[in-house]
Amino acid sequence: MKVIIIGASHGGHQSALELLDKHQGADVTIYEKGDFVSFLSCGMQLFLEDKVSGVDDVRNFRPEDIESRGGKVKSQHEVLSFDADKKEVTVKNLATHETFTDTYDKLILSSGVTPAALSVPGADKENVFFMRGRAWALKIKEKMQDTAVKDVVVIGSGYIGVEAAEVFAKAGKHVTIIDMIDDVLGNYLDKELTDILAPVFKKNNIDLALGETISAFTGDTAVTGVETANGVIDADLVIVAAGVTPNTTWLKGLVDLEPRGQIKVDAYLRTSAPDVYAVGDAILPLSIASGKHAPVALASSARREARYVIRNIDKATPTETFRGVLGTSALSVFDYKFAMTGLNNFTAERSGVSVTGSFFTDTLRPTFVTNDGNTDVYVKLNFDADSHKILGGQVMSTYDVTAHINTLALAITTGLTLEDLAEADFFFQPGFDRQWSLLNLAAQAALGETK
Ligand code: FAD
């Protein structure tokens, strides 16, 4: 079986690993248009905060890791097109400008996304940056160390925007986050939690300009400010983290695309072209919690999708459909650490699913534990009002309770109810937790029990 993979990031890497591991004799080639294989944007904050050995170590894999297993990795090779009838791709070697064709039995698209520019006047000015990939990581690092950069505006209060804001605040810059939504991280966390986090930003020299729409970037050649209806916010540097564009323009007419450009996939992650599969940020995966297709831009999702595709790649029709993803993810915001999975109020509304929420707060350990970092913990559970099936949740504390979210993800995947979670046999040890574990207590509270 000859397989061509497009894109050497999470989806492409996992596809190659699975093929070389599970399909003896598979002929595997990854084509990657970038010159560096394979920068790990997930580790960009760690690089910017000097927590890694070096920028070139922040990567998923080195070409030789795949080549030593028998695969081929071709960087600086852009796939321009494919012909589903001839089972051929047209590839351009970006170093030599030579164009050639290669054949495949199966083709896997993991072409990902690119940060979207804002379509407002001045968006192309100098010092308007994006936070994805190795080249931007190096440029951002330089600006962190530049004393002429005093005011940084971050556009977008999602995970990437918050990471950027924290990095610059820690580097001593004055930071403003602008977003059109009303709550920082409001697409990931429900209001009970965003209300706890909002003052944390202010305390750390980050202003929040929420509910504001950007009308222009000011300045001559370089940006000097960001204009909203409320005036101009000074900016020596702007980081735009307000959405992405799928890398699929070249696929128009070759496979069916969603209205926003993502690759349309069926229940088996097959595209509309025969023997062509798609994974990663460039698709709209099925949400386990809502039963609908929705954007989930996570490395963890790309890898699950790739694993499923390769497990079934030699079957005409797999016996099981792709189960879907939950968007399980985590982030720290200065001292706070949170994690979420499944539906929150924003994603539930977007998917047209009605959820009931229950917010629970307690101390990590019994209150008599006074000297061992005992602190507040917060849990939000979202569930179906009639069946009590758990559909989503969030956990947060200054103590690291994020691993609880994996239990919750499993609970959603297996269809557990509040009643199941309220009585699940989790451990108690007063050095770690309460007499009931955190998720037991949160589920009991959601059922209206008070203790
Ligand atoms: P991408 O990573 O987008 O890569 C696509 C690749 O395809 C690119 O290398 C591109 O050059 C190549 N390509 C595109 N078109 C062609 C073509 N025609 N020919 C050849 N090559 C092509 N996710 C998490 O799960 N956890 C995290 O902590 C996390 N943190 C993140 C932090 C930041 C700052 C960012 C930006 C993202 C983060 N993510 C995180 C998201 C994660 O990086 C993405 O979900 C993941 O990279 C998606 O992988 P992918 O394979 O779909 O595509």
Side-chain angles (χ1 to χ4, degrees), residues 377-407:
V377 286
Y378 310 99
V379 181
K380 177 76 192 284
L381 290 179
N382 290 322
F383 53 93
D384 179 79
D386 298 325
S387 66
H388 289 181
K389 254 174 106 164
I390 300 156
L391 297 175
Q394 299 137 45
V395 296
M396 187 168 87
S397 177
T398 52
Y399 186 82
D400 186 359
V401 293
T402 53
H404 283 288
I405 214 66
N406 292 332
T407 308

Side-chain angles (χ1 to χ4, degrees), residues 69-126:
R69 290 162 165 253
K72 286 162 264 176
V73 182
K74 305 277 186 196
S75 59
Q76 286 191 283
H77 280 71
E78 181 174 7
V79 178
L80 302 177
S81 184
F82 73 87
D83 185 324
D85 296 327
K86 292 188 187 157
K87 293 204 159 177
E88 244 176 38
V89 291
T90 304
V91 187
K92 182 171 184 187
N93 180 331
L94 299 176
T96 62
H97 304 290
E98 172 211 5
T99 298
F100 60 94
T101 58
D102 194 1
T103 56
Y104 65 82
D105 298 314
K106 307 280 181 179
L107 178 63
I108 299 170
L109 310 175
S110 189
S111 56
V113 295
T114 302
L118 291 190
S119 53
V120 296
D124 54 353
K125 288 194 190 307
E126 276 169 35

Side-chain angles (χ1 to χ4, degrees), residues 91-272:
V91 187
K92 182 171 184 187
N93 180 331
L94 299 176
T96 62
H97 304 290
E98 172 211 5
T99 298
F100 60 94
T101 58
D102 194 1
T103 56
Y104 65 82
D105 298 314
K106 307 280 181 179
L107 178 63
I108 299 170
L109 310 175
S110 189
S111 56
V113 295
T114 302
L118 291 190
S119 53
V120 296
D124 54 353
K125 288 194 190 307
E126 276 169 35
N127 296 337
V128 177
F129 283 17
F130 299 94
M131 186 150 156
R132 193 179 185 102
R134 184 174 176 278
W136 286 115
L138 291 170
K139 286 184 178 190
I140 290 174
K141 183 94 168 181
E142 204 182 304
K143 292 291 178 188
M144 285 169 64
Q145 290 152 357
D146 182 346
T147 50
V149 174
K150 298 199 177 346
D151 294 302
V152 178
V153 169
V154 174
I155 298 172
S157 73
Y159 279 22
I160 296 170
V162 165
E163 285 189 358
E166 185 164 337
V167 156
F168 279 104
K170 285 179 179 166
K173 316 292 183 193
H174 170 251
V175 181
T176 307
I177 299 179
I178 307 180
D179 201 316
M180 60 203 289
I181 62 173
D182 293 330
D183 298 295
V184 64
L185 287 161
N187 291 352
Y188 298 90
L189 296 176
D190 291 339
K191 194 156 173 57
E192 296 89 339
L193 298 178
T194 59
D195 280 353
I196 296 166
L197 285 181
V200 176
F201 287 91
K202 186 74 203 158
K203 198 179 129 206
N204 287 283
N205 208 22
I206 298 175
D207 289 331
L208 298 177
L210 300 170
E212 295 197 24
T213 308
I214 290 147
S215 45
F217 294 98
T218 60
D220 290 333
T221 48
V223 72
T224 56
V226 179
E227 185 185 274
T228 74
N230 291 334
V232 175
I233 298 171
D234 289 342
D236 305 307
L237 179 74
V238 173
I239 308 283
V240 181
V244 292
T245 307
N247 297 326
T248 56
T249 312
W250 66 284
L251 288 168
K252 276 186 191 150
L254 301 179
V255 292
D256 290 347
L257 299 178
E258 301 281 355
R260 290 183 173 226
Q262 297 99 340
I263 304 164
K264 211 172 230 175
V265 287
D266 68 6
Y268 306 101
L269 301 183
R270 299 180 300 201
T271 71
S272 58

Side-chain angles (χ1 to χ4, degrees), residues 7 9-11 32-33 42 79 110-113 132 280-281 298-300:
S9 184
H10 291 276
E32 165 56 53
K33 71 177 176 186
C42 313
V79 178
S110 189
S111 56
V113 295
R132 193 179 185 102
D281 286 8
L298 286 172
S300 46

Side-chain angles (χ1 to χ4, degrees), residues 239-427:
I239 308 283
V240 181
V244 292
T245 307
N247 297 326
T248 56
T249 312
W250 66 284
L251 288 168
K252 276 186 191 150
L254 301 179
V255 292
D256 290 347
L257 299 178
E258 301 281 355
R260 290 183 173 226
Q262 297 99 340
I263 304 164
K264 211 172 230 175
V265 287
D266 68 6
Y268 306 101
L269 301 183
R270 299 180 300 201
T271 71
S272 58
D275 293 314
V276 182
Y277 303 78
V279 300
D281 286 8
I283 70 166
L284 279 189
L286 182 75
S287 157
I288 295 173
S290 71
K292 311 246 169 78
H293 288 259
V296 179
L298 286 172
S300 46
S301 301
R303 288 186 181 273
R304 272 161 192 76
E305 290 151 12
R307 186 177 162 92
Y308 168 86
V309 164
I310 304 309
R311 187 150 50 79
N312 293 295
I313 200 162
D314 52 358
K315 302 182 184 116
T317 300
T319 46
E320 36 155 348
T321 57
F322 178 59
R323 196 201 299 251
V325 297
L326 283 169
T328 311
S329 53
L331 191 73
S332 59
V333 178
F334 297 96
D335 291 341
Y336 281 84
K337 296 140 190 83
F338 73 81
M340 58 85 63
T341 189
L343 296 178
N344 55 42
N345 289 337
F346 168 76
T347 54
E349 194 181 328
R350 187 179 62 189
S351 309
V353 177
S354 163
V355 292
T356 300
S358 170
F359 179 62
F360 175 74
T361 177
D362 204 342
T363 51
L364 177 67
R365 305 184 183 112
T367 46
F368 66 78
V369 183
T370 51
N371 272 335
D372 192 25
N374 201 2
T375 187
D376 291 336
V377 286
Y378 310 99
V379 181
K380 177 76 192 284
L381 290 179
N382 290 322
F383 53 93
D384 179 79
D386 298 325
S387 66
H388 289 181
K389 254 174 106 164
I390 300 156
L391 297 175
Q394 299 137 45
V395 296
M396 187 168 87
S397 177
T398 52
Y399 186 82
D400 186 359
V401 293
T402 53
H404 283 288
I405 214 66
N406 292 332
T407 308
L408 216 45
L410 211 50
I412 300 170
T413 305
T414 53
L416 295 192
T417 61
L418 291 176
E419 286 79 356
D420 295 321
L421 195 60
E423 290 182 9
D425 188 354
F426 299 148
F427 75 87

Side-chain angles (χ1 to χ4, degrees), residues 16-37:
L17 286 178
E18 299 283 333
L19 276 163
L20 296 169
D21 191 42
K22 297 190 179 129
H23 294 268
Q24 280 270 315
D27 178 339
V28 179
T29 305
I30 306 180
Y31 286 113
E32 165 56 53
K33 71 177 176 186
D35 58 358
F36 183 87
V37 173

